[in-house]
Amino acid sequence: IGADDGQNIFKICLQVLSHDGDQNSDSGGAALDKCSDKFKQGVVHTLLMLLAVPNVQELYANLQILLGELSLDSIDFSITSDLKMVLIMLGKDSGSCRHACIYCEDGTPWKTPSKLNTLGSLQKWHDMWVADGSRDMRSKDFQNMRNPPLLKGAPEDLILELISPPELHLELGIPDKLTTELIKNVFPDEKAGKEFMSKFYKKENITVCGKQEGKLEGNATRKFLKTTHSLELELRKVSP
């Protein structure tokens, strides 16, 4: 199940996959039959738009209503979405909260091995927050669980098995962090590092997003990752 609110339209889609993880037009017959009699085993329809609503904000209450209308409990599914949407589904605060990891109980500064999150443990943290008085300023002491999880399943179900890693966040975040460390540790100052990266992007015809302080978007990041050999050669010229 994928959820996104791009272009001011809140969308929830269902992608049918075979049990081995490969897309297959002959797979997922049971899931398709439960969704609609129109789709039979062997059809090529493997991506279904379940819901599209304009001008709906990414809020817990809105998502609770929409998921309730879909009644997805009859099928086995995993979630794939961006980090903000996933945090809402889990009942947590925003991505800037102390316990923003969707898979474990650790928090900033992220140095301690921690227990993995389950549906039961998240519900327990929420119940404890409510029992403590539901004080917003205290949510950080209860894994930032201000709402019960919207996902259904057994209490022992691991979040790691219910929610796929947010691919876009990984694709954008890791190169961005590495580039930041490169600028800090290779160049005499931040200005020199940013000027070097700006010239390199232009040389490789990589488009920089002006709205996000020189960061790269999806297609630009993929192109950047293919130029690491060229980046290494350019770096050797300024830092032998």
Side-chain angles (χ1 to χ4, degrees), residues 46-60:
T46 57
L47 180 62
L48 309 176
M49 179 73 74
L50 301 181
L51 178 149
V53 185
N55 302 318
V56 172
Q57 291 182 299
E58 288 182 323
L59 299 175
Y60 181 89

Side-chain angles (χ1 to χ4, degrees), residues 80-101:
T80 175
S81 187
D82 62 32
L83 189 57
K84 179 182 177 182
M85 188 78 73
V86 168
L87 287 170
I88 293 173
M89 289 183 180
L90 294 182
K92 284 181 173 282
D93 292 332
S94 67
S96 60
C97 65
R98 176 179 295 180
H99 300 280
C101 180

Side-chain angles (χ1 to χ4, degrees), residues 1-204:
I1 300 293
D4 182 71
D5 71 339
Q7 299 181 344
N8 293 321
I9 299 178
F10 190 95
K11 302 172 287 294
I12 297 180
C13 300
L14 168 68
Q15 185 176 23
V16 181
L17 304 174
S18 62
H19 289 295
D20 60 4
D22 297 326
Q23 284 184 284
N24 189 327
S25 61
D26 293 326
S27 67
L32 287 173
D33 286 341
K34 290 178 181 177
C35 292
S36 171
D37 291 334
K38 178 181 178 181
F39 298 101
K40 300 299 181 182
Q41 188 168 4
V43 296
V44 297
H45 303 279
T46 57
L47 180 62
L48 309 176
M49 179 73 74
L50 301 181
L51 178 149
V53 185
N55 302 318
V56 172
Q57 291 182 299
E58 288 182 323
L59 299 175
Y60 181 89
N62 293 338
L63 196 56
Q64 185 179 35
I65 293 171
L66 296 176
L67 289 176
E69 289 293 322
L70 291 176
S71 299
L72 297 171
D73 297 349
S74 61
I75 61 173
D76 294 326
F77 65 91
S78 61
I79 298 292
T80 175
S81 187
D82 62 32
L83 189 57
K84 179 182 177 182
M85 188 78 73
V86 168
L87 287 170
I88 293 173
M89 289 183 180
L90 294 182
K92 284 181 173 282
D93 292 332
S94 67
S96 60
C97 65
R98 176 179 295 180
H99 300 280
C101 180
I102 60 180
Y103 297 123
C104 77
E105 295 186 353
D106 197 15
T108 53
W110 311 103
K111 294 182 178 180
T112 307
S114 300
K115 295 180 180 179
L116 293 177
N117 286 328
T118 66
L119 286 177
S121 68
L122 293 179
Q123 182 65 54
K124 181 180 178 181
W125 281 112
H126 170 69
D127 293 342
M128 289 192 294
W129 178 71
V130 172
D132 187 64
S134 302
R135 291 172 289 177
D136 290 345
M137 293 184 64
R138 291 268 292 159
S139 67
K140 64 181 182 297
D141 298 322
F142 300 93
Q143 289 289 312
N144 296 105
M145 285 297 300
R146 288 203 281 179
N147 295 293
L150 294 176
L151 302 182
K152 304 299 182 182
E156 65 271 15
D157 286 349
L158 290 169
I159 302 304
L160 186 60
E161 296 177 348
L162 298 176
I163 299 179
S164 302
E167 181 180 352
L168 183 60
H169 280 276
L170 295 174
E171 185 176 62
L172 298 180
I174 294 175
D176 180 63
K177 294 295 184 184
L178 292 176
T179 301
T180 300
E181 291 302 312
L182 183 150
I183 291 173
K184 287 182 179 179
N185 294 287
V186 173
F187 298 90
D189 53 58
E190 184 178 355
K191 181 180 179 181
K194 288 185 175 181
E195 289 179 351
F196 170 86
M197 291 306 304
S198 179
K199 292 178 181 178
F200 179 78
Y201 291 148
K202 289 180 180 179
K203 178 177 179 293
E204 297 295 334

